[in-house]
Amino acid sequence: MSHGLLWLPLLLVFVLLTTLGWLERRRQHLFREWAEGSELAKLDGCGAARLLDGVLSWSSFEAGKLVVRDSFVIKQLELVELLALGSGEAPLTEEAQGACRLRLVGGGQQKDLPFSDAERARRWIDELMARSRCEL
């Protein structure tokens, strides 16, 4: 009997890991459907983003679905800044890594797009600025 009780925590860990894997698979499936046909798309720990027909929109995964948080028309893009995710208006240095946000400025508005990886955010800056120039 005591040997059986030793296996119980392992069984619970297995069930937990299986459930987490199923949730991640579902999140990725929803993202693939949402981002289908996009010119540019990303999925990370901070959420999902896509560029479709000149409109950049981003969402988060909540309650088994992707909920759109905000959008920005790329044609109006004037400036993209790389900022730290949680510390106010502090710009991110070139060697900094980790979570950050892109500040999109243009058309009299500014919006923040969160990223969990600064390298990917830097690549997105180049892509977004190139696409905004093409839209003009």
Side-chain angles (χ1 to χ4, degrees), residues 77-80 124-133:
L77 186 64
E78 298 168 6
L79 174 69
V80 181
W124 268 62
I125 289 173
D126 297 335
E127 288 286 331
L128 291 174
M129 290 307 291
R131 293 184 194 286
S132 73
R133 288 186 204 108

Side-chain angles (χ1 to χ4, degrees), residues 33-52:
E33 287 179 353
W34 182 72
E36 190 172 329
S38 298
E39 303 165 40
L40 195 58
K42 72 123 180 151
L43 175 66
D44 60 18
C46 291
R50 70 177 177 187
L51 178 62
L52 183 64

Side-chain angles (χ1 to χ4, degrees), residues 34 46-48 56-63 65-72 111-114:
W34 182 72
C46 291
L56 177 65
S57 57
W58 53 96
S59 64
S60 62
F61 187 72
E62 294 179 8
K65 60 183 174 184
L66 284 170
V67 178
V68 176
R69 291 288 168 213
D70 214 343
S71 63
F72 191 89
K111 298 187 178 184
D112 291 340
L113 171 60

Side-chain angles (χ1 to χ4, degrees), residues 11-134:
L11 178 63
L12 292 174
V13 168
F14 174 75
V15 170
L16 177 67
L17 288 175
T18 303
T19 303
L20 291 174
W22 180 82
L23 287 173
E24 179 61 20
R25 182 177 168 92
R26 179 181 168 113
R27 183 175 86 112
Q28 290 179 5
H29 177 72
L30 287 171
F31 170 73
R32 278 193 296 273
E33 287 179 353
W34 182 72
E36 190 172 329
S38 298
E39 303 165 40
L40 195 58
K42 72 123 180 151
L43 175 66
D44 60 18
C46 291
R50 70 177 177 187
L51 178 62
L52 183 64
D53 298 329
V55 176
L56 177 65
S57 57
W58 53 96
S59 64
S60 62
F61 187 72
E62 294 179 8
K65 60 183 174 184
L66 284 170
V67 178
V68 176
R69 291 288 168 213
D70 214 343
S71 63
F72 191 89
V73 178
I74 292 301
K75 190 183 339 183
Q76 299 174 347
L77 186 64
E78 298 168 6
L79 174 69
V80 181
E81 299 174 312
L82 186 62
L83 303 174
L85 187 61
S87 59
E89 304 300 314
L92 212 60
T93 61
E94 281 299 317
E95 58 276 345
Q97 299 296 319
C100 61
R101 61 193 157 111
L102 293 182
R103 164 117 348 127
L104 308 167
V105 179
Q109 56 183 330
Q110 63 182 23
K111 298 187 178 184
D112 291 340
L113 171 60
F115 275 79
S116 61
D117 179 33
E119 275 306 310
R120 179 183 274 180
R122 287 183 185 97
R123 287 191 304 266
W124 268 62
I125 289 173
D126 297 335
E127 288 286 331
L128 291 174
M129 290 307 291
R131 293 184 194 286
S132 73
R133 288 186 204 108
C134 290

